[in-house]
Each structure stands twice: as C-alpha cells, then as structure tokens.
Amino acid sequence: MGRLKLTSIALMDYISASNLSDTLLINGFWRSGTTWLQQTFVDAMDAKSLFEPFSPSAGHHWGQLSKGANTASRNVYMPLSANCLTPRDRIKLHLAFKGVGTHGYTHFLRKEESRTWSKNLVVKSTRLGFILDEISDQYQVPVIHIRRNPAAIYASFKDTDWAWRFQDFRLSQNYNMEDFIKGTREYDLADILLRYDKTPVERLAALWSLSERTAQKSVVTGRAHLVRYEDVVAQGPSILNQLNIASVNFASNDAASPVTNAGREKLTPFERQNDWQTRLSRSEIECIRSIAIDLFPDNGYFQRDDSPFGEGVVNIR
C-alpha cells in the first residue's frame, strides 16, 4: 500500500510539472535554517515543495560516492563540481527542478495535496553548495543561499537526534583522490578537505569553509542571493522582502521549523545566535575559527584581529 501511495504521488508530480511557471532553490549547509526558509517561501508563495531530493532518505545515491560509505558519510556527501555528476545524478536534478518527488520523503513539507498543482515550486537542498553556478546556468532558477556561523552549526549538530550522527562521517569515504583528475577544481578541493579528515570539528569546519567559499563566488557573480541566518533571526522574515525575487510579502514571525532541535523552539533571538559560545569548548571554537580563516578568509564571522579569548588572534563578528 505504501509503495502504491508513493507511486501515485510521483505520478501527480509528473503530471503537474507542466503547470510550473516559477521555481526557486533554497540551499545552505545543514542546520543553517534551510527547512524554515523553505517553509516560509512555500507559505508565502502558495507553492509546492520538494524537500531534500538528493538525500539518501529520498532514495538518492550519488554516482561518485563509494558504496562502502557509512550512513553518516552518505548523508553528508556533496558533489565538488558538475564534473562529479553522473547521468543518473543529472536526471535526478532535472526531475527535482520539475518538482517531481520520486520518494515520499521529498514531500515532507507538502501538507496540502492541492499544492501539488501549484504553479510555484520551492526546492530545498543542503548538498549543492559546490555547484550553484552550474544549477543557476543550466536550470535558470533563482537561488537563495542561507549562511550560518559554523560554530553554531557544530553546536546544533552535537544536539541533533537523527538516525545518523554527523560525528560518524568521514571525508575519506566521500572523496577518493583517484576519482579526480589532477589540476581540476574538484581535485584541489578534495585534496584540501582530506587534510582535515581527523576530528568531527575539523571535518565540519573544512567542509563548511570550502562549500561556503564556493557559494560566495555564486553570490558575487549574481547567480545566488545570500541570506544570513543571524539577520533573519534578529530582524524576522520580513527581511526577505529585500531580495525582490518573488512577488510576495513576508510578515514577521519567529516560528520554529519542523526540524528545530527539541527544547530550542522558544529560545530568544539572542540565544539562538550566541549560545554556541557556552555549548562548545574553547578548543572547538578555536579550531573552527582557525580553519574558517585559513580556507575562507571572507567568511563574515571570524577575522584575524583580537581574539575572543584576549590573545590577539581573532574577532568574532
């Protein structure tokens, strides 16, 4: 019965794809507010949603990813360039931007069946940070990239109660240097990432820094619009009106997303932005700071200046 239901959902998506007129991509690193942002746009645009179509939970397995990768590694894999995409990956991308969900998981936010027939579509993914240029150019879709302080992301991951743990993922299971041609962008990125495949905090800081650095290039060239998590939390969703990419009006509210960690739904804006400073150890913060500065100097959060610990190393913005 379950398989029949999923098939009927996919069939309706196929049929309704011809109705689409406006498609939007929400992208961002895990625990950065992507689900909340997608939900906000879906409600404001009366749009149909497609949730994480490239997640293993949605039945997708990236072609270049080793079949021996553990569950956590498979969940955190990000293709480093369009050269890493197989024909099957490209088909899945094509279907995603047509609003076709081939698995029930992609309909996570689709609360009303009537929205399946909406002319507006909002796709959300946490795995496309390295290929936003290619997606923007090929599919001609507006891209909104949301960025959050990597220290806050790491603190959030430590408290996340998912079926897999971020601490268990390994960069070496996701990126094998033998799969890349020397001198290519993906080779250089993999080479850097693997140098930090030592501890969970180093892995997160390196992956965040390089994916955000690449996404920033898409922002600079106008292929993506940047939204900072901290600005939305501080000023409310109405700040999204400044993007001018959808003919909608965003009202101010502070509702938590369906995947907000338990116990954090009622935090004040100040607590949401800053409590990582008490939830992480000094060594964890210093590790994230150091890697972020080295790999993504223009990261917007850490700079070579006065240390928060008074050691003349870095300032947290």
Side-chain angles (χ1 to χ4, degrees):
M1 190 71 176
R3 295 183 67 85
L4 178 61
K5 181 179 181 181
L6 295 183
T7 301
S8 65
I9 289 175
L11 180 60
M12 285 193 294
D13 279 349
Y14 272 111
I15 297 173
S16 63
S18 60
N19 295 331
L20 287 179
S21 58
D22 293 304
T23 299
L24 174 69
L25 170 64
I26 303 292
N27 184 79
F29 206 84
W30 294 262
R31 313 309 300 162
S32 292
T34 54
T35 299
W36 174 87
L37 192 59
Q38 181 185 31
Q39 186 178 37
T40 299
F41 270 95
V42 163
D43 291 341
M45 297 170 61
D46 192 26
K48 80 188 272 188
S49 63
L50 202 68
F51 182 84
E52 294 290 356
F54 312 108
S55 166
S57 296
H60 186 67
H61 182 90
W62 295 100
Q64 195 173 57
L65 180 59
S66 168
K67 295 187 182 300
N70 66 33
T71 300
S73 295
R74 285 188 284 112
N75 273 278
V76 183
Y77 175 82
M78 302 172 73
L80 299 179
S81 79
N83 294 333
C84 301
L85 302 177
T86 64
R88 182 178 182 275
D89 294 332
R90 293 182 182 278
I91 290 173
K92 194 66 176 283
L93 278 169
H94 176 77
L95 290 175
F97 292 111
K98 291 293 185 182
V100 178
T102 56
H103 192 285
Y105 182 78
T106 61
H107 290 226
F108 176 60
L109 293 181
R110 197 130 10 134
K111 306 303 182 184
E112 302 172 22
E113 287 190 11
S114 60
R115 283 187 173 172
T116 296
W117 307 96
S118 174
K119 293 185 177 181
N120 300 318
L121 168 68
V122 182
V123 181
K124 176 259 190 184
S125 180
T126 50
R127 297 166 170 87
L128 304 177
F130 288 107
I131 58 173
L132 295 182
D133 277 5
E134 291 84 355
I135 288 174
S136 175
D137 291 345
Q138 181 169 352
Y139 298 100
Q140 298 296 303
V141 297
V143 177
I144 298 179
H145 179 75
I146 186 167
R147 179 177 299 154
R148 186 184 187 187
N149 188 316
I153 291 174
Y154 187 65
S156 180
F157 259 126
K158 292 178 70 174
D159 293 340
T160 299
D161 183 21
W162 287 348
W164 57 277
R165 301 191 320 151
F166 180 86
Q167 294 91 322
D168 294 332
F169 113 90
R170 300 290 184 272
L171 288 163
S172 59
Q173 293 185 5
N174 287 359
Y175 307 111
N176 185 338
M177 295 306 297
E178 295 180 358
D179 293 335
F180 307 111
I181 299 174
K182 192 170 184 177
T184 61
R185 184 180 74 174
E186 54 269 23
Y187 180 97
D188 294 338
L189 288 169
D191 183 51
I192 296 173
L193 286 171
L194 291 174
R195 299 175 197 172
Y196 295 93
D197 196 19
K198 300 172 184 176
T199 65
V201 65
E202 289 174 280
R203 295 182 190 108
L204 178 138
L207 189 60
W208 180 91
S209 297
L210 289 187
S211 61
E212 290 293 340
R213 188 179 77 183
T214 306
Q216 182 63 24
K217 294 178 181 178
S218 299
V219 173
V220 170
T221 60
R223 291 183 173 93
H225 303 266
L226 178 64
V227 173
R228 294 178 75 252
Y229 170 92
E230 292 78 12
D231 292 338
V232 177
V233 170
Q235 302 179 45
S238 59
I239 194 176
L240 300 174
N241 291 317
Q242 299 177 15
L243 296 174
N244 294 319
I245 64 171
S247 56
V248 294
N249 181 62
F250 296 93
S252 294
N253 68 70
D254 58 356
S257 88
V259 294
T260 299
N261 286 347
R264 298 184 58 80
E265 301 89 344
K266 301 300 182 181
L267 292 183
T268 66
F270 181 84
E271 289 171 327
R272 288 189 183 185
Q273 294 180 69
N274 297 286
D275 70 347
W276 57 268
Q277 297 184 54
T278 57
R279 295 162 65 199
L280 298 183
S281 68
R282 171 172 174 158
S283 62
E284 289 172 327
I285 295 173
E286 282 294 293
C287 180
I288 294 170
R289 170 202 62 79
S290 177
I291 294 174
I293 290 173
D294 286 344
L295 299 184
F296 183 23
D298 190 24
N299 62 77
Y301 296 102
F302 303 98
Q303 63 180 5
R304 298 185 189 278
D305 203 323
D306 295 327
S307 167
F309 303 116
E311 297 173 357
V313 179
V314 65
N315 179 51
I316 299 180
R317 300 178 187 175

